[in-house]
């Protein structure tokens, strides 16, 4: 069973998405703030995916969290979620836009090899999709 560290400051969305993932057979560790996420990352717990919101008021953003996470676990896969059309990610990882449905969330979480696109491909995708 894959273990997902899910970080989002929106309690309702965090609970809904964690429920979807749990019912699909994933083990989910849900955190609302980067400090809790870093404690998990500093532990010996296996984490297969960091699923993080980009914009978290009262906290660092998801990009900074991913950088800190990868300093601890260089091979950690990251999938971002955002409520706003974002700028390209620093590492070429995929960004899911809220609201996100059950089927899309599960498809993206299952799509391991597609989480990391080459940066130039990802930038072109976002430019065409959002006019960035």
């Amino acid at each position: 069973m894959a273990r997902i560290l899910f970080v989002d400051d929106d309690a309702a969305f965090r609970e809904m998405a964690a429920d979807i993932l749990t019912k699909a057979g994933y083990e989910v560790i849900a955190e609302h703030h980067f400090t809790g996420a870093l404690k998990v990352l500093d532990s010996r717990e296996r984490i297969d995916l960091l699923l993080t919101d980009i914009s978290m008021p009262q906290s660092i953003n998801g990009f900074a969290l991913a950088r800190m996470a990868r300093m601890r676990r260089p091979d950690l896969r990251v999938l971002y979620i955002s409520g706003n059309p974002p700028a390209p990610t620093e590492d070429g990882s995929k960004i899911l836009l809220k609201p996100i449905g059950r089927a899309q969330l599960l498809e993206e979480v299952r799509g391991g090899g597609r989480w990391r696109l080459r940066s130039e491909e990802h930038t072109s995708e976002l430019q065409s999709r959002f006019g960035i």
Side-chain angles (χ1 to χ4, degrees), residues 42-55:
D42 285 338
S43 74
R44 293 190 167 272
E45 290 189 62
R46 180 182 45 79
I47 303 296
D48 301 302
L49 171 67
L50 171 62
L51 177 61
T52 182
D53 190 10
I54 293 174
S55 176

Side-chain angles (χ1 to χ4, degrees), residues 31-42:
E31 294 289 341
H32 73 283
H33 196 266
F34 81 97
T35 55
L38 292 179
K39 286 179 185 176
V40 172
L41 291 164
D42 285 338

Side-chain angles (χ1 to χ4, degrees), residues 34-35 38 41-42 50 59-74 76:
F34 81 97
T35 55
L38 292 179
L41 291 164
D42 285 338
L50 171 62
S59 184
I60 63 172
N61 69 37
F63 297 131
L65 176 58
R67 281 192 304 274
M68 289 190 278
R70 286 195 173 129
M71 288 174 62
R72 290 160 169 79
R73 300 178 185 218
L76 183 64

Side-chain angles (χ1 to χ4, degrees), residues 57-108:
Q58 313 300 319
S59 184
I60 63 172
N61 69 37
F63 297 131
L65 176 58
R67 281 192 304 274
M68 289 190 278
R70 286 195 173 129
M71 288 174 62
R72 290 160 169 79
R73 300 178 185 218
D75 295 328
L76 183 64
R77 291 183 252 188
V78 177
L79 183 58
Y80 298 101
I81 298 176
S82 179
N84 303 305
T89 64
E90 299 168 355
D91 61 1
S93 294
K94 185 133 186 185
I95 301 172
L96 305 178
L97 290 179
K98 294 177 185 176
I100 183 169
R102 178 186 181 283
Q104 183 186 9
L105 177 62
L106 293 175
E107 177 184 338
E108 295 298 341

